[in-house]
Amino acid sequence: MQAVAVADPFICQEILHSTELDKRPNTGYWIVTEMMSAHNEPNLVSSESTAYWRAVRKTVAVAFSSSAMRNNFEQICSAGQDMVKVLKGKPPGESVDMFRGLLCVSVDVISRFGFKKDFGAVSSFGGGDGRHDFLDSILLATKEAQEFLKKPYRQLLWFLPEVKKSYQTFRDFQSFMEKLVCDMRSSEPVSYDTSAVTMTWAMYMIAQHPQVEAKLVAELKAHGLLATPDNPNPPAPTYKQLMELDYLSHVVQETQRLYPAVAFGTSRCSPHKDVYLDNGRLRVPKGTIVWVLTHSLQNSSFTWEHPERFDPGRWEQQGADQASPMPGKARAIIGSMERHASKPLDHPFNIAAESQAGNYEPPQLRLSRVAAQAQSSELEAALSKFNEQQTGDPKAPLPKRWIPFMDGRRSCLVLRAKRVEWEQVSVRSAI
């Protein structure tokens, strides 16, 4: 099986919006089906974009609308408030597994908001042995699914005890979900661990960057949400206040950029015919898996200025999630390619034309050779020309370089819900 990995934002956009490239259950998504369904039926995550899939997605989307967020905001906030009480009750100096704790918050938020049912995960974290059957089932099933993703041949070794144990773990998880579906008449299970991952990384990065923490404290204080000696028990934030916490939103966005919850990205395939991308210049042979690399796209020096830095301030600029203007190395490469090609290239990373002409030179060599002589005005001119060639309209929206929960037809339904959840927990934790 052939596969190609992609991290160019312009081509990523084409892939994610393409009606010819689609998810294929027999690729890496088979394990999601195996984990979720006792009858081997694809779900919203793993199925192709069929009419049934579109109908289910449309139905589920109603639950995660802006009005639903506003109307249920108190329920969403309550899990964060419960966790703050649990943490305040811990003895000073005691180590706390914050990933586990935030996973409990995620479970309770989504169960209360999405299923009108309290799973009591936060309560289990605060007392007893900390075990929670449903939460432990999620963690075990997810861990076993990851083993299959790392070792696809594992499915052929079904007779081994450890593989049999994996399938039993899936069946246990399915039993929990089937009971929930039966009780709540819900058609779609929900993923929890992505929220906990993002909240855990956000808190870690805040702790490692005192200047970021100071700005967050100032923002919370300005909105009357900070616990102080004069105001030891500030009120929970309202939905309107949450939407006004711009710097907190930037912290969450920057965390998602550095540490996307679904870092391995997503794949697409056209099983029956070749697909042409990039205005016909790139051919994807039929049956080839096209893999959009989320982490690479969001952490590449060809797309971001100083991508290794945790810098929430970069999100203060309007359109910071767009792929242009390209900073640093990419801009220099555009200029060098325009300058040294026998004729102007339509795409800065396309080497096919020059390879066929016999005068290809790796971009890295060009960059080192011409960077000292390149004038910023020349690079900007080349960049403008490139953007216009790609979009056909200089004013058209440019592709995104930030897609923590994908883009296009298969973008994540619960992204807005997750943002509210992450931010309200961050507020309550700061308090």
Side-chain angles (χ1 to χ4, degrees):
M1 181 176 289
Q2 300 180 96
V4 59
V6 181
D8 180 289
F10 288 87
I11 299 177
C12 286
Q13 176 178 257
E14 284 191 73
I15 293 168
L16 297 175
H17 287 263
S18 173
T19 57
E20 297 179 314
L21 292 166
D22 201 355
K23 287 188 175 182
R24 301 296 170 198
N26 61 342
T27 58
Y29 294 102
W30 73 270
I31 192 59
V32 179
T33 298
E34 190 75 45
M35 172 181 165
M36 294 286 192
S37 173
H39 309 291
N40 203 34
E41 297 173 348
N43 49 59
L44 269 181
V45 176
S46 63
S47 70
E48 299 177 55
S49 303
T50 61
Y52 175 77
W53 173 84
R54 287 190 289 271
V56 173
R57 181 182 171 89
K58 184 176 181 180
T59 302
V60 174
V62 176
F64 298 98
S65 64
S66 298
S67 59
M69 295 295 107
R70 289 192 296 270
N71 294 338
N72 294 276
F73 187 68
E74 288 186 9
Q75 293 179 345
I76 297 174
C77 255
S78 63
Q81 293 173 308
D82 291 345
M83 177 54 70
V84 170
K85 293 177 183 177
V86 168
L87 293 176
K88 285 183 176 179
K90 296 286 185 180
E94 178 181 324
S95 296
V96 177
D97 182 351
M98 283 307 299
F99 174 69
R100 173 84 182 196
L102 294 173
L103 193 59
C104 290
V105 173
S106 298
V107 168
D108 281 355
V109 165
I110 296 178
S111 65
R112 295 175 191 179
F113 168 63
F115 301 118
K116 309 301 180 186
K117 186 181 179 76
D118 189 356
F119 286 175
V122 173
S123 298
S124 72
F125 184 76
D129 59 5
R131 287 187 52 79
H132 189 273
D133 290 342
F134 183 62
L135 181 57
D136 291 336
S137 178
I138 294 172
L139 290 174
L140 285 173
T142 302
K143 179 181 178 181
E144 295 302 327
Q146 290 173 344
E147 288 299 312
F148 279 103
L149 286 173
K150 290 188 292 185
K151 305 171 184 177
Y153 60 83
R154 206 164 176 260
Q155 59 184 308
L156 302 176
L157 306 178
W158 55 267
F159 50 85
L160 294 180
E162 60 267 29
V163 179
K164 288 183 178 180
K165 181 180 177 182
S166 293
Y167 285 113
Q168 183 59 51
T169 300
F170 293 158
R171 287 193 290 271
D172 292 342
F173 174 72
Q174 290 159 10
S175 296
F176 278 113
M177 296 309 299
E178 286 174 358
K179 185 177 186 304
L180 180 62
V181 169
C182 182
D183 292 344
M184 306 308 300
R185 295 184 177 182
S186 173
S187 61
E188 180 61 26
V190 182
S191 173
Y192 304 90
D193 58 337
T194 54
S195 299
V197 167
T198 297
M199 289 188 288
T200 303
W201 276 118
M203 290 187 174
Y204 175 77
M205 297 309 290
I206 292 169
Q208 296 297 309
H209 296 81
Q211 72 281 9
V212 171
E213 182 180 11
K215 290 193 69 172
L216 275 177
V217 167
E219 183 175 64
L220 295 174
K221 185 176 182 180
H223 285 81
L225 299 173
L226 185 70
T228 64
D230 298 330
N231 185 26
N233 296 300
T238 64
Y239 185 87
K240 181 177 182 295
Q241 284 177 316
L242 191 66
M243 295 300 102
E244 293 173 350
L245 297 175
D246 293 333
Y247 191 69
L248 177 59
S249 179
H250 298 159
V251 169
V252 172
Q253 288 174 296
E254 182 69 348
T255 301
Q256 290 175 294
R257 182 190 69 79
L258 276 170
Y259 305 106
V262 189
F264 55 79
T266 187
S267 67
R268 301 288 188 270
C269 181
S270 174
H272 304 301
K273 65 176 183 178
D274 295 353
V275 173
Y276 291 84
L277 303 172
D278 196 27
N279 294 323
R281 284 182 287 274
L282 301 177
R283 180 176 68 90
V284 180
K286 63 181 180 181
T288 300
I289 296 175
V290 182
W291 186 9
V292 175
L293 300 174
T294 307
H295 186 273
S296 297
L297 171 65
Q298 296 182 176
N299 287 269
S300 172
S301 59
F302 285 85
T303 316
W304 298 88
E305 193 76 45
H306 301 297
E308 74 285 355
R309 296 180 184 175
F310 181 72
D311 180 16
R314 72 173 83 236
W315 297 96
E316 295 173 2
Q317 180 182 354
Q318 186 175 2
D321 62 336
Q322 294 180 346
S324 182
M326 295 182 181
K329 295 180 180 178
R331 294 166 69 178
I333 289 175
I334 291 171
S336 64
M337 282 195 163
E338 289 285 349
R339 189 175 298 106
H340 293 280
S342 56
K343 59 180 181 179
L345 297 179
D346 292 328
H347 194 292
F349 306 116
N350 181 31
I351 64 173
E354 290 188 285
S355 296
Q356 294 171 4
N359 60 353
Y360 169 68
E361 181 180 11
Q364 293 87 346
L365 294 181
R366 290 185 179 184
L367 177 60
S368 62
R369 182 160 56 84
V370 304
Q373 304 161 351
Q375 298 296 318
S376 59
S377 59
E378 292 176 316
L379 297 180
E380 292 293 342
L383 177 61
S384 298
K385 180 178 180 181
F386 165 64
N387 289 339
E388 186 170 357
Q389 288 171 334
Q390 290 299 308
T391 63
D393 178 3
K395 297 182 180 180
L398 289 166
K400 294 180 179 179
R401 56 179 178 171
W402 180 77
I403 51 170
F405 281 90
M406 290 299 109
D407 190 21
R409 299 185 303 146
R410 304 297 292 255
S411 59
C412 182
L413 274 173
V414 297
L415 178 57
R416 181 181 293 272
K418 288 177 183 292
R419 180 194 172 205
V420 172
E421 177 190 338
W422 296 328
E423 294 182 3
Q424 64 90 9
V425 172
S426 298
V427 170
R428 299 307 302 169
S429 298
I431 291 172

